Amino acid sequence: VLEVDRRKPHAQNKIMQLLSTLALATTVTAFAPLNGKATSSALTAYNPSSFSDVQSLPGILDPVGFFDPAGLSNDVDESELKRFREAELTHGRVAMLASVGFLVGESGNTPLFEGSISGIGINQFWQVPTGFWPVILLFIAVPETFRALRGWMEPTV
C-alpha cells in the first residue's frame, strides 16, 4: 500500500533542496585534495622527461600491464615515444568530444543551426551547412599549427 505524503509543497521543496545540497557536497569531496603526500613508488620515481623505459610510464595498469601487441614501441627513440604519447592523448580527447557531440545530436535538441538538423546522429554529419565547414577547419588548423610549431615541451607537473 502506497502512502501519499500530504506535507505542504513548501516542506517538500525544502527536502528536495536539502537532498540536492547533500548530493552536491558528496560529489565535491571527490575533487578535494588529499591531506598528505602520495606514498606510491611509481609516482615518486616518475620523471616526465625520461621516456627511456617504456615499461615504467604512467598509465600501465594491472592486470594487463604494458600493452603493445603490435610492437610499435620496439626500437623507437625517446622523441618518437613522446610523439606517440602526445598523439594518444590528442586522439583520446577528440574521441571524447565526438562522443558528446554524437549524444547531443541524438537527443534531438541540437543548439546549432536553428534546429534544421534532424534524424539519427550518424546521418546528421551531411546536414551541416557548407558555410560552417571553413569555421570547423579553422578551429582545427590553428591549434594544430601552434602545437606542431611548438613541438615537445616538458610537462609542468
Side-chain angles (χ1 to χ4, degrees):
V1 180
L2 294 174
E3 280 189 41
V4 178
D5 191 4
R6 300 195 186 279
R7 294 181 193 166
K8 295 178 184 176
H10 179 68
Q12 287 179 341
N13 194 12
K14 288 290 185 186
I15 291 173
M16 287 302 294
Q17 288 177 353
L18 176 66
L19 290 176
S20 299
T21 304
L22 289 174
L24 180 63
T26 57
T27 305
V28 169
T29 58
F31 300 102
L34 298 175
N35 294 334
K37 293 185 177 182
T39 58
S40 171
S41 61
L43 291 176
T44 57
Y46 173 62
N47 180 3
S49 63
S50 173
F51 271 61
S52 58
D53 183 19
V54 180
Q55 304 284 341
S56 67
L57 289 175
I60 300 172
L61 303 173
D62 291 332
V64 177
F66 180 68
F67 186 75
D68 184 17
L72 297 174
S73 65
N74 298 343
D75 302 323
V76 176
D77 63 344
E78 287 187 37
S79 66
E80 191 70 10
L81 286 173
K82 290 178 182 180
R83 191 177 73 78
F84 286 167
R85 181 52 77 85
E86 183 179 356
E88 180 182 8
L89 290 172
T90 303
H91 292 137
R93 290 170 181 159
V94 169
M96 287 186 274
L97 285 172
S99 299
V100 169
F102 198 88
L103 292 173
V104 168
E106 281 287 326
S107 73
N109 186 12
T110 53
L112 297 175
F113 314 116
E114 298 169 355
S116 64
I117 295 180
S118 61
I120 61 173
I122 200 71
N123 293 334
Q124 292 177 0
F125 182 81
W126 306 110
Q127 296 177 23
V128 175
T130 55
F132 193 66
W133 290 112
V135 175
I136 292 175
L137 291 176
L138 182 70
F139 274 94
I140 293 171
V142 169
E144 282 297 310
T145 302
F146 281 114
R147 185 197 56 80
L149 292 175
R150 183 185 66 212
W152 171 257
M153 290 178 61
E154 292 296 326
T156 57
V157 180

